[in-house]
Amino acid sequence: MWERDAFPSLLPRHAIVLKQSLLRTPCYGWYARKMRMIAIDRSAGAKAIRTMAAEAGRALDENRPIVIFPEGTRRKPGATADYKPGVAALYALLKVPCVPVAHNSGLFWSGFWKRPGTLLVEVLEPIPPGLPPRKFSEALHPPLRPPTHRHLAAAPGKPIPD
């Protein structure tokens, strides 16, 4: 939830890849349509990736940065990562750098519930375009773990939830 509210300030004119069902959410769905976010039907398999890539290509043509969450859904802080194929597919098809971001927002935002605390965000080194899929995964997945765990541990009095 934090990312949804923060990215308009951090990355003006961005395009978030989101699940199509979010377009039916009052207020946010209207906003997502108006801002031309990239909605995908996750049950559509390969077609969803083609649609996502085409819409992301159009956004890039308009100089809009693409925001994609590699896990495709919220997970509890500290949970084992489960990266979906969409991020690697966009990286390969669009031939653009990928800029990973680590944060600890899951400790303070859960659905509509918010708790006090200091949200830490770290922008990691960009991954240059053109890596083979396995090298891209190695450049994305392991480097995200240390800063994410460091940010989770830095939240005083906030144990990592089960």
Side-chain angles (χ1 to χ4, degrees):
M1 293 284 293
W2 168 81
E3 300 92 335
R4 180 202 69 192
D5 293 342
F7 274 112
S9 298
L10 299 172
L11 292 171
R13 297 180 29 82
H14 67 287
I16 294 178
V17 176
L18 48 81
K19 61 184 177 181
Q20 196 170 45
S21 62
L22 289 176
L23 296 178
R24 293 188 298 273
T25 305
C27 297
Y28 181 69
W30 305 327
Y31 165 80
R33 283 182 196 279
K34 178 78 171 160
M35 299 308 294
R36 296 177 298 131
M37 298 302 176
I38 301 167
I40 60 166
D41 175 4
R42 292 195 281 190
S43 67
K47 182 181 179 200
I49 289 180
R50 287 191 302 272
T51 300
M52 176 180 58
E55 290 187 35
R58 283 192 285 280
L60 288 176
D61 289 345
E62 298 169 358
N63 292 318
R64 298 173 64 209
I66 308 301
V67 177
I68 184 169
F69 302 98
E71 295 180 85
T73 192
R74 285 185 295 274
R75 298 178 62 78
K76 290 185 182 230
T80 303
D82 179 22
Y83 295 108
K84 304 299 182 210
V87 67
L90 276 187
Y91 170 81
L93 293 168
L94 299 176
K95 299 176 179 21
V96 295
C98 175
V99 181
V101 177
H103 59 82
N104 65 351
S105 71
L107 293 174
F108 310 109
W109 287 64
S110 178
F112 291 104
W113 302 105
K114 297 170 196 72
R115 290 175 277 199
T118 302
L119 199 145
L120 301 172
V121 178
E122 184 174 346
V123 178
L124 304 178
E125 289 295 316
I127 300 168
L131 295 177
R134 185 179 177 134
K135 291 286 185 189
F136 172 71
S137 292
E138 291 169 2
L140 176 64
H141 304 166
L144 273 171
R145 292 188 64 75
T148 299
H149 286 281
R150 188 171 60 251
H151 298 326
L152 292 173
K158 298 284 184 192
I160 297 174
D162 295 306

